[in-house]
Amino acid sequence: MNRYPMTRLRRLRNKEAVRDLVGETTLSTKDLIYPIFVTYGQGVKKEIDPMPGIHQFSLDMLVTEVKDVQSLGIPAVLLFGIPSQKDDHGTEAYKADGIVQQAIRTIKQHTPELVVIGDICLCEFTSHGHCGVISDNQIDNDRTLELLGEMAVSQAKAGVDMVAPSAMMDGQVAAIRSALDKNKHTTLPIMSYSAKYSSSFYGPFRIAAESTPSYGDRKSYQMDSRNSREAMREIEQDLNEGADIIMVKPALSYLDIVATAKTKFTSPIAVYNVSGEYSMVKAAAEQEWIDEESVILEILTSIKRAGADMIITYHAKEIAEKL
Ligand code: PBG
């Protein structure tokens, strides 16, 4: 029976220690993945305008950054690269000495314990900024799959610990799994951006990664924000293709998707707290309109509560010390 005055739900809220005992959700630094942008050059640590506190790093500057990340207890980083040259086929994405491949080697050399996850997508590397190659004015899904497979293998050879395909091409997980397995990387896990929505919350990232499409949008491959059942089909398909971890992205406008996925699937779920979500917090905090630290904690806790097993977030470093 759940009736006043016998039931007084406030009883368990009176003391902080009791609130902690009954707390249903715990946020830990061990759940966090920190995205890092790497670029060519020497001594580069360039702040991204709409993302205060987040930088593009050249390889020499990357070393201090990853040591910092590791000493804060953050277990993993997610790498994005800005190539020296872009072309139609995103060639630098799968070159043995591409910027991301070099960054992987650098990190593995200086902080071997840190888990390095490589984003697998062509958009930072193509001159047109789309996530796949283009034939006859269309994204060529199946030709793109081969290149994504090559990209994953080249990162695996460089020593990456996990790959994260984000191009939203049909069949990308199967293509990457088979390319990896053919090259004897059978134990390398795939974290698939399964339910990745076409979202305006990626705006600041595209400035950071210099990957804004030069024409059109990503609606022919990324999901429509009106759909939720379709997300379950995407996830199911990725699991059937061999995904080890599935992802929902963005986070805050899609927590219903996270919660539903949690009840339907048993695989670990990653949630990406994306750039626009970060920028909005930073902008409001800058104006002193919100209490930044408590807002960040509330956001990350809500993502956990919805069902995330891990969170990719630009807030990782600043919040690690507070947890
Ligand atoms: C690459 C990719 C994007 C993000 C992660 N991987 C951008 C996009 O699809 O346009 C967005 C991350 C963020 O906004 O923080 N395809």
Side-chain angles (χ1 to χ4, degrees), residues 37 51 80 119 121 123-124 131 166-167 193 196 201-206 211 213 218 222 249 272-276 314:
F37 299 95
M51 302 179 73
F80 297 97
D119 186 78
C121 185
C123 65
E124 293 114 74
C131 302
S166 71
Y193 288 67
K196 177 177 179 181
F201 287 103
Y202 306 152
F205 172 96
R206 292 179 188 170
S211 65
R218 304 208 201 288
Q222 298 181 348
K249 173 186 176 194
Y272 202 140
N273 176 211
V274 302
S275 57
Y314 302 97

Side-chain angles (χ1 to χ4, degrees), residues 28-251:
S28 153
T29 303
K30 295 279 165 233
D31 304 322
L32 305 180
I33 299 171
Y34 189 56
I36 294 186
F37 299 95
V38 289
T39 189
Y40 282 99
Q42 279 276 315
V44 181
K45 183 179 176 186
K46 185 177 158 215
E47 189 163 68
I48 293 140
D49 209 30
M51 302 179 73
I54 303 296
H55 303 80
Q56 292 179 346
F57 292 95
S58 55
L59 296 173
D60 54 335
M61 304 297 277
L62 178 64
V63 176
T64 337
E65 178 71 358
V66 290
K67 284 186 175 159
D68 263 13
V69 170
Q70 189 172 51
S71 66
L72 286 165
I74 298 166
V77 294
L78 175 60
L79 281 186
F80 297 97
I82 296 109
S84 58
Q85 271 198 322
K86 304 189 185 220
D87 60 29
D88 280 359
H89 288 80
T91 311
E92 286 201 24
Y94 34 91
K95 254 185 20 186
D97 62 345
I99 187 69
V100 174
Q101 289 78 359
Q102 289 190 53
I104 294 166
R105 289 193 194 93
T106 304
I107 300 174
K108 283 284 126 188
Q109 187 188 337
H110 294 275
T111 48
E113 302 308 316
L114 195 62
V115 174
V116 179
I117 309 172
D119 186 78
I120 304 292
C121 185
L122 298 182
C123 65
E124 293 114 74
F125 304 91
T126 51
S127 40
H128 44 72
H130 279 288
C131 302
V133 288
I134 302 199
S135 329
D136 302 329
N137 293 320
Q138 304 273 352
I139 309 285
D140 188 337
N141 190 91
D142 297 3
R143 174 75 186 111
T144 302
L145 295 184
E146 285 171 47
L147 302 181
L148 296 175
E150 277 185 50
M151 187 175 181
V153 170
S154 73
Q155 291 190 6
K157 284 185 179 148
V160 84
D161 295 298
M162 195 184 296
V163 289
S166 71
M168 285 301 278
M169 293 298 121
D170 286 329
Q172 62 181 10
V173 173
I176 288 169
R177 183 73 272 156
S178 95
L180 288 172
D181 290 358
K182 254 184 230 140
N183 286 275
K184 309 249 181 320
H185 298 290
T186 52
T187 58
L188 197 81
I190 299 176
M191 172 197 278
S192 179
Y193 288 67
S194 307
K196 177 177 179 181
Y197 284 86
S198 171
S199 168
S200 297
F201 287 103
Y202 306 152
F205 172 96
R206 292 179 188 170
I207 295 170
E210 303 174 12
S211 65
T212 308
S214 58
Y215 64 90
D217 53 38
R218 304 208 201 288
K219 288 191 198 301
S220 81
Y221 41 105
Q222 298 181 348
M223 281 192 57
D224 186 322
S225 61
R226 290 173 292 192
N227 297 351
S228 130
R229 289 185 304 162
E230 187 188 351
M232 301 309 128
R233 295 182 73 190
E234 285 282 2
I235 294 169
E236 192 175 6
Q237 190 159 359
D238 281 2
L239 289 170
N240 289 338
E241 289 180 22
D244 301 285
I245 298 172
I246 55 108
M247 192 197 300
V248 175
K249 173 186 176 194

